[in-house]
Amino acid sequence: MGRTTTATATTPTSNSLLVLVSLAVLLLLLTPMFGVLRSGEVFTEANLLYGALVFFGAAMVLYLGFALSGNERYVRFASGATWTGFILNTLAAGHRWYIAGRPPFSNLYEMLLSVVWTLALLTLFVERRYGVRVIGTVTMPLAVIGVLLMQLMPSEVRPLVPALQSTWLHIHVTLAMLGYAACAVSFALALMFLIQDRVRTETFLAGTSVLLAAIYLGIASRFDASGGLQVAAWDAQAAREIFIARGEPLMVILPGLGWMFFLVLAAVLVPLGLYLWAVWNREESFLRWANRAFVVGLLVQGLGLVAFVLRARGGMYASPQAEGLFPTSLSASPFLLTGMVSGIAASLLYLLLWWRREGLERMLPDTETLDRLIYRSIGIAFPLLTLMIAAGAYWANRTWGSYWSWDPKETWALITWLVYAGYLHMRITRGWRGRRAALFAIVGFAVVLFTFLGVTYLLPGLHAYA
Amino acid sequence: MKCGEFNPKKFSVASYPTQGYPPNQQSSDNQKQTKDFPVSCTVEHELRFSASSENRGTQMTLEENRRMLQAIYRTLSSVRTGIVLLILLGLASAAGTFVLQRPLTDPEQLERAYDPETLAWLDRWGLTDVFHSWWFVALMTLLALNIILASLERFPTAWRFFARPYLRPGPHFQATLPLQEEVSIRNVEMGLQAAERAFRKLGWKPQRVGKNGDCSLYIERHRVARLAPYVVHASLLLILAGGIVDGVWGWRGFVALTQNEQTDRIERRDGTEQRLPFTIRCEDAGQENYPDGTPRRWWTNLTVLEDGREVLRKEIEVNDPLVYRGLRFFQSSYGSTGTLAKLTVLATAVQTPQQTRTVELSPNQTVALDENTTVRLAAFVPDFMVVGNQIRTRSPEPNNPAIQLLVESKAGGSWKVWLFPRFPDFSHPGDAPYTFRVRDLQMGYYTGLQVAYEPGQWAVWAGCILMGIGLFMTFYMVHTRFWVVPVSDRLGRQALWVGASASKNRDEFLERFRRIMETIRAELAEQQPPAVVTNATVAARS
């Protein structure tokens, strides 16, 4: 029930993408193979992760190909690639678990490892159980970004500080991961709902632009008076940030990049401005301009990312806090990178919608199924979030002697909970269905994202290690 | 799926005529009753009572009062108010994370972050301590009140579902129930038996209602799911109650103990002193490190003494506190006190340099070196430095320790000997009867213990467990009911009327209903010649 299977005739060109992807996978797997074989260590975590990256990348390309062409054959191969990547990811996580003697949840690298694993699992599950094939188009790019970011982060197994040595931590984090993953699914379903509910494509443009503006405002807040961008300095030997005081990392200035990101911010605000102008004056022609400006914005974003990667990859820079030059590295700025890459991914997804809306509509389940699925996924997420907060409180009580201390992470977890509680009440007692409920689910996920990433980036607290 | 007959959007009891309904069927399958619910009987009763006892002149104002009270009551108990309160609480909490909070930050940091005027303004509105401000507490109180009133309003209906199941549908209910079908039968008893077998086959337990001649079936599952929302809300109130108890009667404090030190006084967070009804003693404490030098584990051996008697002993560590009489002692920090616990020196007499003996010294302890000479540990400086003419310590860590020994001889004369373990050849003054070399130096360490008294925490944990159960019931248990009643169909033939209702997940329930109807037909076909089974109708309602 609710499965939409669009049987599209296999066109003669449909195999070319498959062949191309297979060749790319073979090439990417075989070239490093010789080096790996010579070193004698085949099944290391890094190698497994590299394999997972290759297969997730292949799956991403195939899912995107499916979304663009509607060719059913791609999905089968995409699922296969996802399965292989998932197995390799599982092996990598298991390997790490075995080496460390504890589940991989204690720093950003390990969190990403688990998040990507959960994403892949969810993709496979939703595809198989509910027949929502297009979900891979959204989740696989995220998985690829996750694995790419992991390559830039310190990955050695670190011992746990005493406060983290608790079973309750693992329960807490597992529940958090599962809960947030369910929230992400409800978000993806809500977006699909809006697409099926004939929301104007340009409304998505506005939504994407708001997200981009938030991301680049966050990045531009690191603007330095000299026109540079402040990033954390990086101690290459210890593979960690340099702290000059408790909770105060040493920053360095990347010259010129501050202006660069102001430019990017302006570039992503232009389409939003054009959209608002078009809506205000009821001028349809401006919407076309908004879409063109959006493409320009994406190009500027790409330039910004390239400039940032080139500058932050290495080199010595001055610091506003101390005399002398200090090194930095991409690992020192995980949040900035995540922000930029997700911004580009979101823009690409919008462009996909802009070009292939009709094809997407044919592939997605109908609104009633989607509405029910949103409610179902939140029905899974909400108990998990509740138990996550309870487990966290119990752990805090055993470690710090207090189950609730209103630190920012706790508070935002509570806010997330309140938002979803609001959704459930609206839906169950006031009969909210359809678009309003879907918008509520989107707001809920925005809050989840802020709790998970924004709080760590902007509001440091007791949760310094997650 | 074809939803023509069964559209969940249109499936609401609000559209049913309310006359002729048994009371427990009102708003049975949809809780869409936020508007127009009756004012609570108690309020009404009190108002009537007071109105009758007053004279007619005040009748109007009383009527107005009454209306106002009704309006207030309706507002307080509505779901809409609840949602508004949730949003306000969310916004207030968010504000509390963006503005630096006094309980979590140093005063100096706050003064650096905001200019004095802004800080004064923030302080006035409680924005620097949002979670303890009067308006946050007021919001929480209103939310609790809203939960209580809304639950009281709706609970009786749910309770009727639970306590008095609607065993036999009346004719009006039969006419209006959205999900129903009729199956022709030959004989009432045989038809009922077939239906019973069908339900048993699918794992349900049919129940016979009524006497021999006038029998019907009632089948239900998970009746308790009707109470799920109340379980969740009760658990929330329980958690809040626990929080209030801890906010009012609970306290937190800190105590630092060195080895063998004992105390029954704790300094509370608010600066006051708390006396314990027992004494706590630190027997020993320590730190273990990983090979790379980062701490792996801190531990403290604690003993609880009552009237001088030892009643409990436990080695606590991070994540594993000592609990006694509701008080919990947590390992929170560990560090150097800057004092010397034990010193081991090699003493060599100047006259007989071949003979060397090892002497262990504790602070202020006098040890005899020979019949005439004693030595005492007089002073210790962990991180020696001289500022002007004074000896100071740079830090409590033993980076450059300096030890002063007092050597006294009965023959007359005393020497204050300074030792610097980092510079072993230095000795001052040089004319003492003994020379000393430091062999081992054990610093005194303190263990920092957080102390917490949270009598309400058990309500909180009970509430958490209850909420888990309640949410499971809410999302994964559906109250489903079937009724099987023998009737005569339009042509006057005997038939079985099968009606069904589910509290949620109605689309999946529709599938289940169809499966049950198929099974009933199969059972009927087995006991009757197939040709007789005719005329199954799906009652379509919209």
Side-chain angles (χ1 to χ4, degrees), chain B residues 198-408:
Chain B
F199 276 107
R200 284 221 184 82
K201 221 176 217 173
L202 295 173
W204 299 73
K205 287 198 190 83
Q207 175 189 346
R208 285 225 173 194
V209 182
K211 299 230 171 66
N212 280 336
D214 181 29
C215 218
S216 72
L217 296 182
Y218 177 67
I219 304 100
E220 78 170 338
R221 193 180 269 177
H222 298 321
R223 194 197 299 169
V224 76
R226 294 278 176 186
L227 300 181
Y230 308 96
V231 175
V232 175
H233 287 142
S235 71
L236 201 60
L237 292 174
L238 196 57
I239 291 172
L240 276 179
I244 290 168
V245 166
D246 284 348
V248 176
W249 288 287
W251 54 267
R252 297 183 63 193
F254 182 83
V255 63
L257 293 173
T258 55
Q259 193 175 8
N260 293 325
E261 194 184 344
Q262 62 182 48
T263 186
D264 63 348
R265 282 154 211 269
I266 309 284
E267 197 197 328
R268 279 163 69 153
R269 277 269 173 91
D270 53 16
T272 57
E273 192 185 74
Q274 174 78 36
R275 281 204 68 162
L276 304 180
F278 54 87
T279 307
I280 187 117
R281 188 167 74 208
C282 163
E283 302 289 344
D284 202 0
Q287 169 174 349
E288 288 167 25
N289 286 342
Y290 288 110
D292 69 350
T294 51
R296 190 174 80 86
R297 180 171 174 258
W298 291 302
W299 54 270
T300 306
N301 243 320
L302 284 180
T303 307
V304 177
L305 303 161
E306 276 206 72
D307 309 324
R309 269 182 318 109
E310 178 181 323
V311 287
L312 185 66
R313 181 185 280 250
K314 178 170 178 177
E315 183 176 299
I316 66 163
E317 56 180 56
V318 182
N319 285 328
D320 187 14
L322 169 98
V323 188
Y324 186 69
R325 287 218 195 169
L327 278 150
R328 293 173 308 145
F329 296 83
F330 297 86
Q331 181 76 55
S332 126
S333 55
Y334 182 78
S336 169
T337 53
T339 59
L340 195 59
K342 204 159 87 180
L343 177 74
T344 314
V345 289
L346 297 175
T348 314
V350 177
Q351 277 124 7
T352 52
Q354 307 87 340
Q355 286 180 351
T356 301
R357 55 174 294 203
T358 313
V359 183
E360 283 190 1
L361 289 166
S362 300
N364 298 323
Q365 180 198 5
T366 308
V367 176
L369 288 170
D370 54 47
E371 294 104 69
N372 294 324
T373 325
T374 59
V375 64
R376 191 160 70 89
L377 178 58
F380 174 73
V381 183
D383 201 351
F384 184 85
M385 68 188 286
V386 176
V387 181
N389 277 332
Q390 283 187 312
I391 294 169
R392 293 269 176 82
T393 184
R394 207 169 320 189
S395 72
E397 301 302 320
N399 295 324
N400 180 26
I403 299 137
Q404 192 189 44
L405 299 177
L406 182 67
V407 182
E408 280 177 314

